[in-house]
Amino acid sequence: MKNIVSLKWLLARMYESDIVIVDCRFQLGKPESGREAYKESHIPGAVYLDLEKDLSSAITEHGGRHPLPDIAELTGTLSRAGIGNASRVIAYDDQGGAMASRLWWLLKYLGHEQVFVLDEGFTAWQKAGFPVSADQKVLIPSPFFATVQHNMLVEVDEVQEKLGKAGVTLIDSREAARYRGEVEPIDRVAGHIPGAINRFWAEGRGADGQWKSAEEQAARFEGLAKDGETIVYCGSGVTACPNVLALQEAGFTNVRLYAGSWSDWISFPENQIAVGDEVALKGE
């Protein structure tokens, strides 16, 4: 099943009754900028969901910088946004698909299959001359019932247990310099989880801003076992989601998200930290 839809695909279907378009634009460090951009201009009929207010819960001692939202609260948010179990949800952003992929993953986690990420994002939609609007949709709630897919998620204790285990691949989705521990602009400790390999999430898109094909995604993860267990993380569980999507596009069948990610890992003082490059690929 494809997870990415083109601008033209959405243009042809945007007014169909079961389509719900969700604007997920958000900039780290500028938490109001996404909502303000939405108020100014968005794809007609789109509703806005905020990464930190709607798609994350409050920060605590553990759980990372963007803890997963409470399931009951999230289903309520989705229902109020007009997302029901029969909805086809199209998520977009202007951050390379990172924020839209968070909603994509959350809906998949809740058992909702009909969710897609819009290729390229809002700026490309606008540049293509497709319609935009500042009108805010009147929201008609639609009941959403979750069937939680617990196997999609991994917690810190399971990551600890599986470090170095045969058949398990751990993928760090951050930029290479952060992975190697050379810089750390956000979290208080630099480095990566021991044994993790690095596949920067943004490399899932080409120079033109479009998502790479399934074959190109497979080339990014060449040498890794498609039928093994793959655990993906980033800084806070957000930019790992486009890598989860890319891995699924590439044919990997057992991909799990460590939602707390690096910011959760370093909240436990007993957890080991590695720096530099890992010499061997795990999971082969």
Side-chain angles (χ1 to χ4, degrees), residues 78-280:
L78 297 171
S79 295
R80 289 189 294 275
I83 298 172
N85 292 95
S87 300
R88 283 184 291 165
V89 181
I90 318 300
Y92 73 88
D93 59 32
D94 244 349
Q95 285 70 46
M99 311 304 164
S101 294
R102 168 75 163 207
L103 178 60
W104 170 87
W105 187 90
L106 285 169
L107 281 165
K108 292 280 189 178
Y109 177 60
L110 298 182
H112 191 81
E113 286 298 319
Q114 293 293 311
V115 54
F116 311 90
V117 172
L118 181 65
D119 202 3
E120 302 180 80
F122 180 74
T123 295
W125 174 275
Q126 206 169 22
K127 284 182 177 177
F130 296 162
V132 297
S133 174
D135 295 339
Q136 302 215 16
K137 183 179 180 180
V138 176
L139 299 181
I140 302 173
S142 182
F144 185 94
F145 300 100
T147 306
V148 180
Q149 307 297 303
H150 296 286
N151 61 317
M152 290 177 56
L153 181 66
V154 59
E155 303 286 357
V156 63
D157 54 348
E158 195 173 351
V159 178
Q160 292 166 335
E161 176 192 336
K162 291 186 173 180
L163 288 187
K165 291 279 182 71
V168 179
T169 303
L170 188 59
I171 296 178
D172 186 311
S173 305
R174 298 171 299 164
E175 292 178 83
R178 288 184 69 194
Y179 162 79
R180 291 193 295 263
E182 297 166 358
V183 298
E184 184 43 70
I186 303 174
D187 293 307
R188 60 179 177 79
V189 179
H192 62 264
I193 300 174
I197 61 171
N198 183 221
R199 296 292 185 274
F200 183 34
W201 72 272
E203 292 172 354
R205 292 174 294 117
D208 57 2
Q210 294 184 350
W211 284 72
K212 292 180 177 178
S213 67
E215 294 75 21
E216 290 170 318
Q217 299 291 8
R220 293 177 59 214
F221 304 106
E222 190 175 6
L224 306 181
K226 288 188 175 181
D227 57 352
E229 181 177 356
T230 305
I231 297 172
V232 188
Y233 77 93
C234 57
S236 68
V238 177
T239 58
C241 293
N243 257 353
V244 172
L245 192 158
L247 283 156
Q248 290 193 7
E249 292 278 297
F252 285 72
T253 56
N254 183 12
V255 184
R256 307 176 72 194
L257 175 69
Y258 173 25
S261 286
W262 180 247
S263 52
D264 177 58
W265 182 262
I266 61 174
S267 71
F268 296 89
E270 69 272 20
N271 281 343
Q272 294 183 340
I273 292 167
V275 295
D277 285 312
E278 298 283 344
V279 294

